[in-house]
Amino acid sequence: MFKFLKEKLKSFRKKIEEIEKREEEKVEEVEKEPAKVEEIRPEPVRVEKAERVEKAVERVEVEKAKVEKKVEEKVEEVEKVEEKGKLASKIRGKIGFKEKVSTLILKREVIIDEKKLDDILPELEMILLESDVAFEVVEEISAMLRERLVGRRKKIGEKLADIVIEELKIIIKEILDRNKFDFDEYLDKLVAERKPVNIIFVGVNGTGKTTTIAKLAKRLMDRGYSVVLAAGDTFRAGAIEQLEEHAKRLGVRLIKHKAGADPAAVIYDAIVHAESKGIDIVLADTAGRMHTKKNLIDQLEKIKRVTEPDMTIFVDESIAGNDAVERARMFNEAVGIDGSILTKLDADPKGGTAISVSYVTGKPVLFVGVGQDYDDLVKFDSDWLIKRIFED
């Protein structure tokens, strides 16, 4: 899982370490300068010149004290600025040479500046884009990293790579959690208020939509709910047969009509059946369609109008990358979705789809498919995803 992204991040870490090594060599050179000054010994001078030399030394000492005072005042100024949120990033990005040297010599710290980030962030941006992270998400991550790292101090010996990667983890988690949503909690509340709860599934063909419906049915049954399936994909006879086979394996009722029938009527009949039998939840399949197929989109709008679903869930495969992200965006704009389920995450070498879908739709990722068995449906959790991206 995420093999491509993991390898790219390892290479990125190595590049940061190389940059840091060069920086440390420069630091060592700066630290050696005072020693060089101490090695200089004054040559013997005639007595008549002693007073002039002594006065000159005194003037130098006075000027040196003034400079040191100004450096200390500037350091204090920068420290005050750092407490002012976003404004800090604008000022810290302009930290001068004196501040850097003062921080290095007096506090044994190195200040991360704009130039250093300019050396590493473009490569990170390219890695994320190659890993199917949507462009606007990459821009957001890069901007947040720059804001949080410019002007930040790191101790001598502390690894810049560790700081950058750790901050990257935090930012990705924040992005994933913006639309955080507890499906189980929401469903418990809905069923307590009224039943049946009607959930319809949308997406293109071949992405695992029908199998995902069966997986969710199994999960809901394991949690004590009663379920009925609705074969709302009347566009393909094979889809009806496929869902019927899943229903037999799971031991649940399937409501179906003949191929070519009105899908809204099929789902409506499933709702009526659930009401009469006291069934908790209706899970309804719909025909796989591209968002550009106006007749099928019109059909989906009719389904929503007639059956008034409590949730509309978009299903696509994680391995589709940016195609899946764009389809999610378009379905959300065309008919409105309440959340997404990403299939085949276990086969995804990149991981960018999972990072991006929630961001571009403004709706949560609810579950991810990680295998072929009915139990291979995992409730989405940002910590779970972060762990699999960044840990070997």
Side-chain angles (χ1 to χ4, degrees):
M1 189 183 293
F2 312 140
K3 183 178 180 181
F4 176 87
L5 179 54
K6 286 180 179 179
E7 290 178 351
K8 288 290 185 179
L9 287 174
K10 283 181 182 178
S11 299
F12 177 63
R13 178 185 284 275
K14 288 180 180 178
K15 178 172 182 178
I16 297 177
E17 289 172 350
E18 290 172 0
I19 293 173
E20 188 172 29
K21 185 177 180 181
R22 292 196 295 268
E23 184 72 21
E24 288 174 351
E25 290 172 352
K26 292 180 181 178
V27 168
E28 290 175 0
E29 290 178 5
V30 171
E31 290 180 324
K32 288 177 182 177
E33 289 302 318
K36 291 180 180 178
V37 173
E38 290 175 4
E39 290 171 2
I40 299 175
R41 295 289 182 269
E43 295 180 0
V45 295
R46 290 194 300 271
V47 174
E48 60 268 21
K49 294 184 178 179
E51 287 186 13
R52 291 200 301 273
V53 171
E54 185 175 344
K55 289 180 180 179
V57 169
E58 287 177 358
R59 286 197 299 272
V60 170
E61 289 297 328
V62 170
E63 291 301 318
K64 180 181 177 183
K66 289 180 180 179
V67 171
E68 287 179 349
K69 185 177 180 181
K70 288 182 179 180
V71 168
E72 288 175 0
E73 289 175 352
K74 193 66 176 179
V75 170
E76 289 176 2
E77 180 184 338
V78 171
E79 288 176 341
K80 289 178 181 178
V81 169
E82 287 177 343
E83 298 174 359
K84 297 182 180 180
K86 292 185 178 180
L87 181 60
S89 65
K90 297 179 181 178
I91 298 177
R92 285 182 288 172
K94 298 179 181 179
I95 294 171
F97 177 73
K98 288 182 181 179
E99 289 87 342
K100 294 178 186 177
V101 173
S102 174
T103 303
L104 172 62
I105 301 300
L106 301 178
K107 299 187 177 181
R108 301 290 295 165
E109 294 176 337
V110 175
I111 298 177
I112 303 173
D113 59 12
E114 286 274 5
K115 183 179 182 304
K116 192 172 293 183
L117 291 182
D118 287 341
D119 290 337
I120 63 177
L121 285 186
E123 180 165 341
L124 177 60
E125 292 168 0
M126 186 57 64
I127 288 171
L128 294 175
L129 288 170
E130 290 176 345
S131 299
D132 292 333
V133 179
F135 180 75
E136 58 261 56
V137 183
V138 174
E139 283 190 321
E140 173 106 357
I141 291 172
S142 182
M144 292 174 74
L145 275 172
R146 191 175 293 276
E147 178 182 324
R148 296 182 186 189
L149 294 180
V150 171
R152 180 166 170 174
R153 290 173 165 83
K154 76 176 189 71
K155 296 290 185 183
I156 298 296
E158 186 179 9
K159 290 187 177 181
L160 177 61
D162 291 341
I163 294 173
V164 174
I165 295 298
E166 188 59 34
E167 202 62 52
L168 179 61
K169 289 181 186 179
I170 293 170
I171 289 171
I172 292 177
K173 177 173 169 55
E174 288 176 4
I175 288 174
L176 292 172
D177 286 343
R178 284 181 187 175
N179 300 296
K180 194 170 184 178
F181 176 82
D182 192 318
F183 176 85
D184 294 330
E185 184 180 310
Y186 178 72
L187 193 62
D188 290 344
K189 183 180 178 181
L190 276 182
V191 173
E193 292 176 353
R194 66 181 184 280
K195 56 184 184 181
V197 171
N198 177 27
I199 304 175
I200 68 171
F201 296 79
V202 302
V204 300
N205 286 326
T207 57
K209 177 162 53 70
T210 304
T211 302
T212 296
I213 293 171
K215 287 181 177 181
L216 187 57
K218 171 66 163 52
R219 187 178 187 279
L220 294 174
M221 291 164 64
D222 289 344
R223 297 189 71 246
Y225 290 117
S226 54
V227 176
V228 63
L229 305 183
D233 183 358
T234 60
F235 193 71
R236 294 185 307 118
I240 300 173
E241 294 171 0
Q242 184 183 5
L243 194 58
E244 188 169 28
E245 181 60 30
H246 285 304
K248 288 178 181 178
R249 292 178 183 177
L250 294 170
V252 299
R253 179 70 185 274
L254 173 71
I255 303 301
K256 64 176 183 176
H257 290 188
K258 293 181 179 180
D262 183 355
V266 177
I267 299 172
Y268 181 81
D269 285 351
I271 295 171
V272 171
H273 172 80
E275 289 175 343
S276 66
K277 301 295 182 180
I279 295 173
D280 298 318
I281 302 166
V282 176
L283 300 179
D285 195 8
T286 64
R289 68 202 73 209
M290 292 296 292
H291 59 275
T292 54
K293 297 290 185 181
K294 187 178 184 306
N295 60 324
L296 292 178
I297 291 297
D298 289 344
Q299 185 187 77
L300 192 53
E301 289 175 346
K302 179 183 177 182
I303 290 172
K304 296 190 72 170
R305 186 173 63 253
V306 171
T307 67
E308 298 180 338
D310 296 288
M311 291 191 76
T312 300
I313 298 177
F314 171 78
V315 181
D316 212 316
E317 52 190 6
S318 183
I319 57 175
N322 278 307
D323 288 343
V325 175
E326 286 306 308
R327 289 194 289 258
R329 188 203 306 270
M330 296 303 180
F331 265 92
N332 188 46
E333 292 174 354
V335 296
I337 65 173
D338 298 300
S340 301
I341 295 178
L342 295 176
T343 65
K344 306 176 186 177
L345 193 72
D346 54 311
D348 185 0
K350 298 183 177 181
T353 309
I355 296 172
S356 304
V357 164
S358 177
Y359 182 94
V360 302
T361 62
K363 306 297 170 58
V365 175
L366 304 173
F367 297 94
V368 291
V370 293
Q372 297 299 314
D373 295 335
Y374 288 132
D375 290 327
D376 291 332
L377 188 69
V378 176
K379 189 175 180 179
F380 183 80
D381 177 74
S382 59
D383 290 323
W384 180 90
L385 187 69
I386 294 294
K387 184 177 180 180
R388 277 152 184 78
I389 290 175
F390 289 96
E391 293 185 10
D392 293 332

